[in-house]
Amino acid sequence: MKKALIIVSFGTSYKETREKTIEAVEKRMTENFPECDVYRAFTSNMVIKKIKEKEGIKVPTVNQLMLELKEKGYKEVYVQPLHVINGNEYSKAAHQAHHFKKDFDVIKVGKPLMTEFEDYEEIVEWLKDLAQPLEKNEGVVLMGHGTQHAAFTAYACLDHMLNKEPIFICAVESYPSVETVVEKLKERNIEKVYLHPFMLVAGDHATNDMASDEEDSWKSQLTKAGFIVEPILKGMGEYPKIQNLFLSHAEKVVERGE
């Protein structure tokens, strides 16, 4: 029996961005690990419910999928999260997988995008490339999801590593907030801002909280503060560089058992 590789993410009910991001990564994983049967799992029950209602597709949780793999007779299961940080959703996926450790010979869970210091360095270089070419009075603001988990510090760490660049990391649900960036933008004499999601997919947060014309969206807040704002609705999972980083994390667990 082949090995099983579970690609797990929070998920998204936005079909188009799901195809460009999650499915694109899954395809890369399938090509790179022919010895594995690749499966999809989501950690968000709300997203799973929406997809079932809208598309008639049932996406399992890690827990449900582990039960299925056990019934199918798999002995080796590898899990690669597509989460950005080591927060609540990653912890949930890892906990559900390890719950079945007595039922399989091997269960290995890979790391999220930003785990080791080298991951941060890679992301910094990717963001520098993403920001090119910028005019002198232009900057980039990225919307991270944020978390109440202790891992919220990952966003502040990355933002600090970019302190010499016109690139700013903010988060919807934790620090740094978008309000904290306005003064920084003015200090740098930035007049135009490119808004990007710092999330795997360009889903609900990116579409509504970041790029919409609603009064409390980031686009509206920054426009009101006097900046010209151009939202870019492109999830991180669309970029080959980010896909490659997830692949390298998966290689560590599948090929080296780390």
Side-chain angles (χ1 to χ4, degrees):
M1 178 66 73
K2 279 191 172 186
K3 304 171 184 177
L5 173 60
I6 299 173
I7 311 301
V8 57
S9 61
F10 181 84
T12 179
S13 59
Y14 285 65
K15 188 172 185 290
E16 185 177 339
T17 190
R18 188 168 71 238
E19 291 170 349
K20 291 177 179 178
T21 56
I22 296 170
E23 288 186 19
V25 175
E26 290 169 346
K27 184 179 178 183
R28 295 284 306 277
M29 295 284 186
T30 301
E31 292 168 351
N32 278 265
F33 304 105
E35 72 275 24
C36 295
D37 292 328
V38 176
Y39 291 86
R40 172 188 299 176
F42 288 169
T43 54
S44 170
N45 292 314
M46 181 181 66
V47 168
I48 289 171
K49 183 172 182 253
K50 280 186 179 180
I51 293 174
K52 183 71 165 62
E53 291 171 351
K54 287 167 59 177
E55 303 177 44
I57 297 170
K58 180 69 172 77
V59 181
T61 62
V62 172
N63 189 69
Q64 292 165 341
L65 190 48
M66 295 296 285
L67 285 169
E68 181 185 327
L69 296 176
K70 178 184 174 183
E71 290 174 4
K72 288 182 175 179
Y74 284 91
K75 296 299 181 184
E76 294 186 32
V77 178
Y78 301 89
V79 182
Q80 179 54 50
L82 301 187
H83 301 109
V84 176
I85 63 171
N86 293 266
N88 290 322
E89 299 302 318
Y90 165 73
S91 297
K92 183 197 297 186
H95 175 75
Q96 289 183 2
H98 288 306
H99 179 73
F100 291 87
K101 62 184 178 182
K102 293 180 181 178
D103 299 310
F104 297 89
D105 294 339
V106 175
I107 294 178
K108 295 285 185 181
V109 180
K111 300 299 184 184
L113 186 66
M114 296 200 304
T115 302
E116 308 290 342
F117 176 59
E118 291 75 15
D119 297 334
Y120 285 76
E121 290 181 311
E122 294 272 11
I123 296 294
V124 166
E125 292 308 311
W126 170 67
L127 288 171
K128 287 179 182 178
D129 290 340
L130 183 72
Q132 298 302 322
L134 284 178
E135 299 295 332
K136 192 175 181 180
N137 64 340
E138 295 179 337
V140 172
V141 174
L142 295 112
M143 171 188 268
H145 188 279
T147 179
Q148 300 308 307
H149 189 280
F152 83 90
T153 52
Y155 298 103
C157 176
L158 184 63
D159 186 59
H160 182 72
M161 290 174 71
L162 291 159
N163 65 0
K164 292 183 180 179
E165 305 293 331
I167 304 170
F168 307 89
I169 308 293
C170 302
V172 179
E173 295 184 2
S174 56
Y175 180 85
S177 67
V178 69
E179 290 83 5
T180 65
V181 83
V182 171
E183 189 175 334
K184 292 180 183 178
L185 292 170
K186 290 182 176 178
E187 285 174 356
R188 298 278 194 99
N189 296 314
I190 289 172
E191 298 172 6
K192 181 173 182 178
V193 172
Y194 295 93
L195 267 181
H196 291 260
F198 192 72
M199 303 176 186
L200 178 71
V201 302
D204 189 59
H205 279 302
T207 302
N208 297 315
D209 299 331
M210 186 188 85
S212 76
D213 292 323
E214 293 176 14
E215 188 178 348
D216 59 348
S217 76
W218 285 23
K219 177 188 172 185
S220 296
Q221 289 183 57
L222 289 169
T223 299
K224 190 175 180 180
F227 303 101
I228 299 166
V229 183
E230 184 175 329
I232 313 291
L233 282 171
K234 188 173 181 179
M236 292 170 73
E238 292 188 44
Y239 296 92
K241 172 75 171 181
I242 299 300
Q243 295 174 10
N244 290 339
L245 285 173
F246 281 124
L247 279 170
S248 69
H249 285 217
E251 284 171 358
K252 288 181 180 179
V253 288
V254 176
E255 297 176 358
R256 302 203 290 274
E258 294 180 12

